[in-house]
Amino acid sequence: MEDCIFCKIINKEIPSNFVYENEDVIAINDLNPKAETHVLVIPKKHVASLNELNDETEALKIFKGIKETVKKLGLTDYRTVINTGKNAGQTVFHLHVHILAGKLSIENL
Ligand code: 5GP
Ligand code: ZN
């Protein structure tokens, strides 16, 4: 999708280091980390938020991507966060899952 920062990262229009990638998701380090480890798992298919996610297969692919990302990072203890809607703190309207581990710099994301 045009003018979507995460689509541009996925399409490599903006260079970024993928900490994990499979055919359905990428995982990147958050630009502004709120924990020692702060990674975003992002589906390659543009979906604006969890409210627009209606495809169960796509949902499973995202969960699989989360599990494969934490495995690659060697994490067993971590927090996952999905902000949905601007009043809940969503700033990028391409669905993504935060993975936070280690010392958190703030209690709530
Ligand atoms: P949200 O607030 O929408 O749940 O989370 C968006 C996250 O994306 C924020 O934590 C923000 O730091 C991160 N972010 C925004 N733009 C970029 C970017 O260009 N690169 C990376 N790696 N992270 C970004
Ligand atoms: Zn997008």
Side-chain angles (χ1 to χ4, degrees):
M1 196 204 193
E2 258 179 65
D3 288 334
C4 170
I5 189 101
F6 288 170
C7 283
K8 286 182 179 159
I9 290 172
I10 290 159
N11 297 331
K12 301 195 164 79
E13 289 165 51
I14 296 173
S16 183
N17 184 39
F18 296 173
V19 301
Y20 176 75
E21 180 178 17
N22 67 19
E23 62 181 7
D24 303 308
V25 305
I26 63 162
I28 58 172
N29 287 311
D30 197 289
L31 196 61
N32 182 22
K34 306 286 196 306
E36 276 172 32
T37 299
H38 186 171
V39 168
L40 304 172
V41 175
I42 308 171
K44 289 184 177 178
K45 189 175 162 193
H46 181 94
V47 176
S49 82
L50 196 56
N51 287 335
E52 284 77 28
L53 182 70
N54 297 312
D55 179 342
E56 290 175 16
T57 307
E58 186 64 18
L60 272 179
K61 287 174 178 173
I62 295 167
F63 267 86
K64 185 169 173 240
I66 295 167
K67 287 179 67 77
E68 289 176 353
T69 300
V70 295
K71 188 174 177 193
K72 177 153 184 207
L73 296 171
L75 298 173
T76 54
D77 297 55
Y78 51 89
R79 185 188 288 194
T80 47
V81 173
I82 302 175
N83 295 320
T84 305
K86 64 178 181 346
N87 292 330
Q90 185 175 6
T91 57
V92 177
F93 284 80
H94 178 135
L95 177 62
H96 53 281
V97 181
H98 298 257
I99 296 174
L100 300 131
K103 198 173 179 324
L104 296 173
S105 64
I106 55 166
E107 267 308 302
N108 296 304
L109 186 72

